[in-house]
mmCIF file of all heavy atoms in Angstrom:
data_model
loop_
_atom_site.group_PDB
_atom_site.id
_atom_site.type_symbol
_atom_site.label_atom_id
_atom_site.label_comp_id
_atom_site.label_asym_id
_atom_site.label_seq_id
_atom_site.Cartn_x
_atom_site.Cartn_y
_atom_site.Cartn_z
ATOM 1 N N MET U 606 100.777 128.205 76.869
ATOM 2 C CA MET U 606 101.399 129.318 77.568
ATOM 3 C C MET U 606 100.583 129.780 78.762
ATOM 4 O O MET U 606 100.995 130.699 79.396
ATOM 5 C CB MET U 606 101.443 130.474 76.588
ATOM 6 C CG MET U 606 102.564 130.198 75.499
ATOM 7 S SD MET U 606 102.968 131.591 74.441
ATOM 8 C CE MET U 606 101.455 131.791 73.481
ATOM 9 N N GLY U 607 99.551 129.073 79.137
ATOM 10 C CA GLY U 607 98.751 129.393 80.279
ATOM 11 C C GLY U 607 97.584 130.394 80.152
ATOM 12 O O GLY U 607 97.066 130.954 81.121
ATOM 13 N N TYR U 608 97.231 130.634 78.881
ATOM 14 C CA TYR U 608 96.180 131.612 78.601
ATOM 15 C C TYR U 608 94.893 130.806 78.087
ATOM 16 O O TYR U 608 95.061 129.948 77.278
ATOM 17 C CB TYR U 608 96.536 132.549 77.540
ATOM 18 C CG TYR U 608 97.609 133.542 78.012
ATOM 19 C CD1 TYR U 608 98.958 133.222 77.744
ATOM 20 C CD2 TYR U 608 97.396 134.723 78.770
ATOM 21 C CE1 TYR U 608 99.981 134.091 78.232
ATOM 22 C CE2 TYR U 608 98.331 135.541 79.206
ATOM 23 C CZ TYR U 608 99.636 135.244 78.877
ATOM 24 O OH TYR U 608 100.651 136.119 79.350
ATOM 25 N N ALA U 609 93.849 131.210 78.575
ATOM 26 C CA ALA U 609 92.611 130.725 77.983
ATOM 27 C C ALA U 609 92.512 131.395 76.563
ATOM 28 O O ALA U 609 92.636 132.596 76.526
ATOM 29 C CB ALA U 609 91.270 131.057 78.849
ATOM 30 N N GLU U 612 90.882 134.778 76.197
ATOM 31 C CA GLU U 612 91.624 135.896 76.859
ATOM 32 C C GLU U 612 92.267 136.669 75.744
ATOM 33 O O GLU U 612 92.787 137.761 75.934
ATOM 34 C CB GLU U 612 92.617 135.505 77.823
ATOM 35 C CG GLU U 612 92.011 134.931 79.133
ATOM 36 C CD GLU U 612 93.107 134.607 80.069
ATOM 37 O OE1 GLU U 612 93.536 135.475 80.934
ATOM 38 O OE2 GLU U 612 93.589 133.408 80.093
ATOM 39 N N ASP U 652 113.602 137.185 82.124
ATOM 40 C CA ASP U 652 112.724 137.092 83.384
ATOM 41 C C ASP U 652 112.504 135.702 83.860
ATOM 42 O O ASP U 652 112.244 135.474 85.103
ATOM 43 C CB ASP U 652 111.379 137.746 83.055
ATOM 44 C CG ASP U 652 110.594 137.152 81.930
ATOM 45 O OD1 ASP U 652 111.129 136.400 81.132
ATOM 46 O OD2 ASP U 652 109.442 137.323 81.781
ATOM 47 N N PHE U 656 112.663 133.238 88.102
ATOM 48 C CA PHE U 656 111.800 132.223 88.736
ATOM 49 C C PHE U 656 112.566 130.984 89.263
ATOM 50 O O PHE U 656 112.041 130.137 89.948
ATOM 51 C CB PHE U 656 110.818 131.781 87.671
ATOM 52 C CG PHE U 656 109.894 132.752 87.268
ATOM 53 C CD1 PHE U 656 109.742 133.045 85.819
ATOM 54 C CD2 PHE U 656 109.181 133.589 88.133
ATOM 55 C CE1 PHE U 656 108.928 134.015 85.426
ATOM 56 C CE2 PHE U 656 108.286 134.524 87.670
ATOM 57 C CZ PHE U 656 108.215 134.828 86.355
ATOM 58 N N TYR U 659 112.354 129.521 92.714
ATOM 59 C CA TYR U 659 111.114 128.893 93.178
ATOM 60 C C TYR U 659 111.110 127.456 92.586
ATOM 61 O O TYR U 659 110.126 126.617 92.883
ATOM 62 C CB TYR U 659 109.833 129.605 92.653
ATOM 63 C CG TYR U 659 109.777 130.972 93.127
ATOM 64 C CD1 TYR U 659 110.147 132.032 92.283
ATOM 65 C CD2 TYR U 659 109.309 131.218 94.385
ATOM 66 C CE1 TYR U 659 110.052 133.413 92.817
ATOM 67 C CE2 TYR U 659 109.190 132.528 94.906
ATOM 68 C CZ TYR U 659 109.605 133.554 94.046
ATOM 69 O OH TYR U 659 109.467 134.893 94.579
ATOM 70 N N LEU U 673 105.575 125.401 83.558
ATOM 71 C CA LEU U 673 105.862 125.920 84.914
ATOM 72 C C LEU U 673 106.243 127.398 84.910
ATOM 73 O O LEU U 673 105.585 128.168 85.703
ATOM 74 C CB LEU U 673 106.898 125.144 85.691
ATOM 75 C CG LEU U 673 107.191 125.592 87.078
ATOM 76 C CD1 LEU U 673 106.002 125.755 88.020
ATOM 77 C CD2 LEU U 673 108.256 124.717 87.741
ATOM 78 N N ILE U 674 107.074 127.788 84.000
ATOM 79 C CA ILE U 674 107.416 129.167 83.879
ATOM 80 C C ILE U 674 106.252 130.081 83.496
ATOM 81 O O ILE U 674 106.106 131.157 84.085
ATOM 82 C CB ILE U 674 108.636 129.352 82.853
ATOM 83 C CG1 ILE U 674 109.875 128.769 83.366
ATOM 84 C CG2 ILE U 674 108.809 130.870 82.533
ATOM 85 C CD1 ILE U 674 110.466 129.422 84.600
ATOM 86 N N HIS U 675 105.403 129.563 82.581
ATOM 87 C CA HIS U 675 104.259 130.372 82.187
ATOM 88 C C HIS U 675 103.293 130.583 83.421
ATOM 89 O O HIS U 675 102.775 131.596 83.702
ATOM 90 C CB HIS U 675 103.552 129.722 81.042
ATOM 91 C CG HIS U 675 104.296 129.955 79.816
ATOM 92 N ND1 HIS U 675 104.510 131.140 79.181
ATOM 93 C CD2 HIS U 675 104.844 129.031 79.000
ATOM 94 C CE1 HIS U 675 105.182 131.014 78.166
ATOM 95 N NE2 HIS U 675 105.426 129.690 77.961
ATOM 96 N N ALA U 676 103.046 129.478 84.193
ATOM 97 C CA ALA U 676 102.283 129.545 85.407
ATOM 98 C C ALA U 676 102.864 130.465 86.414
ATOM 99 O O ALA U 676 102.141 131.308 87.021
ATOM 100 C CB ALA U 676 102.030 128.120 85.975
ATOM 101 N N LEU U 677 104.136 130.406 86.679
ATOM 102 C CA LEU U 677 104.766 131.366 87.595
ATOM 103 C C LEU U 677 104.715 132.803 87.237
ATOM 104 O O LEU U 677 104.494 133.659 87.983
ATOM 105 C CB LEU U 677 106.226 130.909 87.850
ATOM 106 C CG LEU U 677 106.437 129.580 88.552
ATOM 107 C CD1 LEU U 677 107.917 129.151 88.731
ATOM 108 C CD2 LEU U 677 105.769 129.568 90.017
ATOM 109 N N ARG U 678 104.838 132.978 85.843
ATOM 110 C CA ARG U 678 104.693 134.409 85.313
ATOM 111 C C ARG U 678 103.299 134.913 85.625
ATOM 112 O O ARG U 678 103.156 136.060 85.966
ATOM 113 C CB ARG U 678 105.000 134.317 83.794
ATOM 114 C CG ARG U 678 105.037 135.758 83.186
ATOM 115 C CD ARG U 678 105.487 135.757 81.770
ATOM 116 N NE ARG U 678 106.947 135.546 81.771
ATOM 117 C CZ ARG U 678 107.500 134.529 81.020
ATOM 118 N NH1 ARG U 678 106.659 133.734 80.330
ATOM 119 N NH2 ARG U 678 108.757 134.305 80.983
ATOM 120 N N ARG U 679 102.258 134.149 85.404
ATOM 121 C CA ARG U 679 100.954 134.579 85.652
ATOM 122 C C ARG U 679 100.777 134.880 87.164
ATOM 123 O O ARG U 679 100.055 135.798 87.559
ATOM 124 C CB ARG U 679 99.987 133.534 85.184
ATOM 125 C CG ARG U 679 99.925 133.285 83.717
ATOM 126 C CD ARG U 679 99.530 134.527 82.879
ATOM 127 N NE ARG U 679 98.229 135.000 83.103
ATOM 128 C CZ ARG U 679 97.161 134.677 82.439
ATOM 129 N NH1 ARG U 679 97.214 133.789 81.419
ATOM 130 N NH2 ARG U 679 96.013 135.262 82.624
ATOM 131 N N LEU U 680 101.228 134.023 87.962
ATOM 132 C CA LEU U 680 101.240 134.177 89.515
ATOM 133 C C LEU U 680 101.935 135.569 89.828
ATOM 134 O O LEU U 680 101.366 136.255 90.677
ATOM 135 C CB LEU U 680 101.909 133.052 90.220
ATOM 136 C CG LEU U 680 101.439 132.674 91.574
ATOM 137 C CD1 LEU U 680 99.934 132.317 91.582
ATOM 138 C CD2 LEU U 680 102.275 131.538 92.093
ATOM 139 N N GLU U 681 103.073 135.785 89.143
ATOM 140 C CA GLU U 681 103.769 137.046 89.466
ATOM 141 C C GLU U 681 102.871 138.263 89.016
ATOM 142 O O GLU U 681 102.840 139.378 89.690
ATOM 143 C CB GLU U 681 105.092 137.087 88.721
ATOM 144 C CG GLU U 681 105.812 138.344 88.956
ATOM 145 C CD GLU U 681 107.142 138.401 88.197
ATOM 146 O OE1 GLU U 681 107.218 138.118 86.985
ATOM 147 O OE2 GLU U 681 108.256 138.568 88.895
ATOM 148 N N GLU U 682 102.247 138.185 87.860
ATOM 149 C CA GLU U 682 101.415 139.246 87.408
ATOM 150 C C GLU U 682 100.255 139.635 88.361
ATOM 151 O O GLU U 682 99.790 140.729 88.440
ATOM 152 C CB GLU U 682 100.801 138.884 85.987
ATOM 153 C CG GLU U 682 101.726 138.814 84.859
ATOM 154 C CD GLU U 682 101.209 138.206 83.677
ATOM 155 O OE1 GLU U 682 99.926 137.778 83.638
ATOM 156 O OE2 GLU U 682 101.932 138.024 82.624
ATOM 157 N N GLN U 683 99.880 138.496 89.140
ATOM 158 C CA GLN U 683 98.779 138.756 90.149
ATOM 159 C C GLN U 683 99.321 139.232 91.476
ATOM 160 O O GLN U 683 98.546 139.567 92.345
ATOM 161 C CB GLN U 683 98.069 137.390 90.395
ATOM 162 C CG GLN U 683 97.367 136.821 89.244
ATOM 163 C CD GLN U 683 96.849 135.437 89.513
ATOM 164 O OE1 GLN U 683 96.865 134.902 90.628
ATOM 165 N NE2 GLN U 683 96.424 134.737 88.472
ATOM 166 N N GLY U 684 100.655 139.419 91.505
ATOM 167 C CA GLY U 684 101.251 139.811 92.787
ATOM 168 C C GLY U 684 101.301 138.789 93.905
ATOM 169 O O GLY U 684 101.577 139.109 95.028
ATOM 170 N N LYS U 685 101.256 137.464 93.461
ATOM 171 C CA LYS U 685 101.097 136.419 94.513
ATOM 172 C C LYS U 685 102.369 135.538 94.518
ATOM 173 O O LYS U 685 102.506 134.726 95.453
ATOM 174 C CB LYS U 685 99.898 135.468 94.204
ATOM 175 C CG LYS U 685 98.511 136.185 94.206
ATOM 176 C CD LYS U 685 97.525 135.186 93.909
ATOM 177 C CE LYS U 685 96.151 135.784 93.916
ATOM 178 N NZ LYS U 685 95.053 134.918 93.505
ATOM 179 N N LEU U 686 103.328 135.676 93.684
ATOM 180 C CA LEU U 686 104.459 134.878 93.554
ATOM 181 C C LEU U 686 105.272 134.861 94.833
ATOM 182 O O LEU U 686 105.773 133.825 95.312
ATOM 183 C CB LEU U 686 105.323 135.204 92.377
ATOM 184 C CG LEU U 686 106.521 134.209 92.119
ATOM 185 C CD1 LEU U 686 106.059 132.849 91.809
ATOM 186 C CD2 LEU U 686 107.382 134.755 90.927
ATOM 187 N N LYS U 687 105.457 135.954 95.481
ATOM 188 C CA LYS U 687 106.342 136.119 96.573
ATOM 189 C C LYS U 687 105.741 135.316 97.863
ATOM 190 O O LYS U 687 106.408 135.046 98.768
ATOM 191 C CB LYS U 687 106.648 137.468 96.932
ATOM 192 C CG LYS U 687 107.547 138.160 95.883
ATOM 193 C CD LYS U 687 107.903 139.587 96.278
ATOM 194 C CE LYS U 687 108.792 140.119 95.236
ATOM 195 N NZ LYS U 687 109.147 141.488 95.453
ATOM 196 N N GLN U 688 104.451 134.985 97.745
ATOM 197 C CA GLN U 688 103.858 134.136 98.822
ATOM 198 C C GLN U 688 104.228 132.683 98.666
ATOM 199 O O GLN U 688 104.080 131.883 99.704
ATOM 200 C CB GLN U 688 102.323 134.262 98.690
ATOM 201 C CG GLN U 688 101.767 135.609 98.846
ATOM 202 C CD GLN U 688 100.172 135.642 98.574
ATOM 203 O OE1 GLN U 688 99.593 134.680 98.591
ATOM 204 N NE2 GLN U 688 99.712 136.837 98.387
ATOM 205 N N LEU U 731 98.665 126.858 87.549
ATOM 206 C CA LEU U 731 98.340 128.160 88.121
ATOM 207 C C LEU U 731 97.175 127.948 89.117
ATOM 208 O O LEU U 731 97.229 128.490 90.239
ATOM 209 C CB LEU U 731 98.057 129.184 87.019
ATOM 210 C CG LEU U 731 97.550 130.518 87.504
ATOM 211 C CD1 LEU U 731 98.634 131.229 88.326
ATOM 212 C CD2 LEU U 731 97.157 131.375 86.279
ATOM 213 N N GLU U 735 97.354 128.767 93.101
ATOM 214 C CA GLU U 735 96.526 129.723 93.563
ATOM 215 C C GLU U 735 95.641 129.194 94.837
ATOM 216 O O GLU U 735 95.551 129.780 95.861
ATOM 217 C CB GLU U 735 95.514 130.359 92.582
ATOM 218 C CG GLU U 735 96.122 131.197 91.473
ATOM 219 C CD GLU U 735 95.182 131.516 90.341
ATOM 220 O OE1 GLU U 735 94.226 130.763 90.079
ATOM 221 O OE2 GLU U 735 95.377 132.586 89.671
ATOM 222 N N LEU U 738 98.059 128.752 97.716
ATOM 223 C CA LEU U 738 98.407 130.060 98.418
ATOM 224 C C LEU U 738 97.301 130.615 99.147
ATOM 225 O O LEU U 738 97.427 131.228 100.171
ATOM 226 C CB LEU U 738 98.907 131.031 97.360
ATOM 227 C CG LEU U 738 100.280 130.671 96.691
ATOM 228 C CD1 LEU U 738 100.607 131.731 95.555
ATOM 229 C CD2 LEU U 738 101.400 130.662 97.751
#
Side-chain angles (χ1 to χ4, degrees):
M606 292 188 288
Y608 294 92
E612 288 181 90
D652 62 342
F656 299 127
Y659 298 101
L673 177 56
I674 291 296
H675 288 296
L677 293 177
R678 185 174 288 125
R679 296 299 297 269
L680 207 58
E681 182 181 51
E682 289 170 0
Q683 297 172 10
K685 298 178 182 176
L686 183 61
K687 290 183 179 179
Q688 296 173 18
L731 177 62
E735 288 172 333
L738 292 175

